[in-house]
């Protein structure tokens, strides 16, 4: 278990710990997911401590609505909902099976300020959000060594470039004040209007916090 977190063996205990400012281990938290997804969690899903800190960065910046691009099983959104007081988290994910897993996990963990939408980067609408979280969401499509979540997602440089360009364009048109937190980057350079506010070590990489200034 993470430092500062009392010993626990139940998912209910993990949810309560997050509400009280502690971080359960990933092994404990990931028990909410099917075994096959637990096995790839360390590769594809945000570690608990990373998700907690990212959610805190949004909360500290008074962000009210966060969008997780490529939310997978919804781990960041569920953790963010449990460890913050007011921020609402929406995950967009194009694989229906993962969307269903995310919704089920939110229900089981009592993460009420969450919503999970089936869609891809082409469908993302940023106008309703003042914060965006990205854990390098399109990297799976170009990696030759990384284990895939499942066989439904083709490896495609064309799709990687299309999704990246589409999100870049939407970010360029987004309103001033939009906040972005990335873990392992986002796979493309953000528009110049985004200023890096903080960058701190987290997990096996960094959390970078950006603010759109114009």
């Amino acid at each position: 278990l993470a430092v500062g977190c009392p010993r626990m063996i139940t998912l209910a205990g993990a949810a309560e710990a997050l509400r009280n400012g502690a971080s359960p281990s990933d092994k404990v938290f990931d028990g909410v997911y099917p075994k096959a997804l637990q096995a790839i969690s360390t590769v594809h899903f945000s570690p608990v401590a990373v998700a907690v800190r990212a959610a805190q960065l949004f909360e500290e910046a008074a962000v009210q609505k966060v969008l997780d691009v490529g939310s997978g099983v919804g781990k960041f959104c569920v953790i963010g909902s449990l460890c913050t007081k007011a921020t609402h988290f929406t995950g967009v994910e194009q694989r229906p099976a993962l969307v269903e897993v995310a919704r089920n996990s939110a229900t089981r963990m009592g993460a009420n300020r969450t919503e999970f939408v089936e869609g891809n980067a082409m469908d993302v609408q940023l106008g309703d959000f003042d914060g965006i979280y990205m854990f390098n969401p399109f990297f799976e499509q170009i990696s030759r060594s990384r284990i895939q979540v499942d066989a439904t997602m083709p490896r495609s440089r064309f799709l990687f470039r299309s999704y990246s360009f589409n999100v870049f364009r939407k970010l360029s048109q987004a309103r001033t004040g939009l906040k972005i937190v990335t873990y392992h980057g986002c796979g493309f350079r953000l528009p110049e209007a985004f200023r890096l506010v903080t960058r701190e070590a987290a997990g096996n990489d960094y959390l970078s916090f950006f603010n759109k200034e114009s």
Side-chain angles (χ1 to χ4, degrees):
L1 299 178
V3 175
C5 180
R7 185 171 180 81
M8 62 187 68
I9 59 173
T10 67
L11 291 175
E16 188 62 23
L18 285 163
R19 293 189 182 96
N20 291 329
S23 294
S25 71
D26 287 281
K27 183 177 181 179
V28 170
F29 186 92
D30 289 347
V32 74
Y33 304 122
K35 291 290 187 181
L37 295 174
Q38 292 180 37
I40 62 172
S41 178
T42 58
V43 176
H44 287 284
F45 312 135
S46 301
V48 172
V50 171
V52 167
R53 181 57 186 147
Q56 289 173 343
L57 287 171
F58 284 124
E59 186 176 44
E60 290 166 3
V63 170
Q64 295 297 304
K65 295 182 179 180
V66 175
L67 174 69
D68 181 3
V69 177
S71 54
V73 294
K75 188 172 180 179
F76 166 72
C77 292
V78 170
I79 291 171
S81 173
L82 292 171
C83 74
T84 62
K85 300 298 184 184
T87 307
H88 186 277
F89 295 84
T90 298
V92 60
E93 167 60 48
Q94 63 180 309
R95 288 173 274 210
L98 296 188
V99 173
E100 187 63 24
V101 169
R103 290 169 178 166
N104 288 339
S105 68
T107 298
R108 291 181 64 188
M109 300 295 279
N112 298 322
R113 284 176 284 106
T114 58
E115 179 183 8
F116 297 98
V117 178
E118 183 183 337
N120 62 36
M122 305 298 185
D123 304 319
V124 172
Q125 301 297 325
L126 304 185
D128 293 334
F129 302 96
D130 50 349
I132 298 175
Y133 177 73
M134 288 186 281
F135 176 8
N136 209 341
F138 313 129
F139 183 69
E140 184 184 357
Q141 293 175 318
I142 59 172
S143 171
R144 295 298 176 184
S145 59
R146 192 177 192 183
I147 300 170
Q148 288 185 286
V149 174
D150 57 35
T152 67
M153 178 66 68
R155 285 189 168 102
S156 168
R157 287 192 174 274
F158 172 77
L159 285 177
F160 174 84
R161 290 192 294 267
S162 295
Y163 291 153
S164 297
F165 175 77
N166 184 274
V167 174
F168 178 93
R169 179 176 57 81
K170 290 175 182 289
L171 292 175
S172 298
Q173 298 169 352
R175 65 176 180 268
T176 301
L178 178 67
K179 310 294 191 297
I180 293 178
V181 174
T182 66
Y183 179 53
H184 281 269
C186 61
F188 57 91
R189 185 183 295 275
L190 292 174
E192 292 184 1
F194 285 89
R195 179 178 66 87
L196 178 64
V197 179
T198 62
R199 185 172 186 261
E200 57 188 68
N204 59 3
D205 197 69
Y206 294 89
L207 282 172
S208 299
F209 179 54
F210 299 88
N211 178 58
K212 190 174 189 193
E213 297 192 333
S214 62

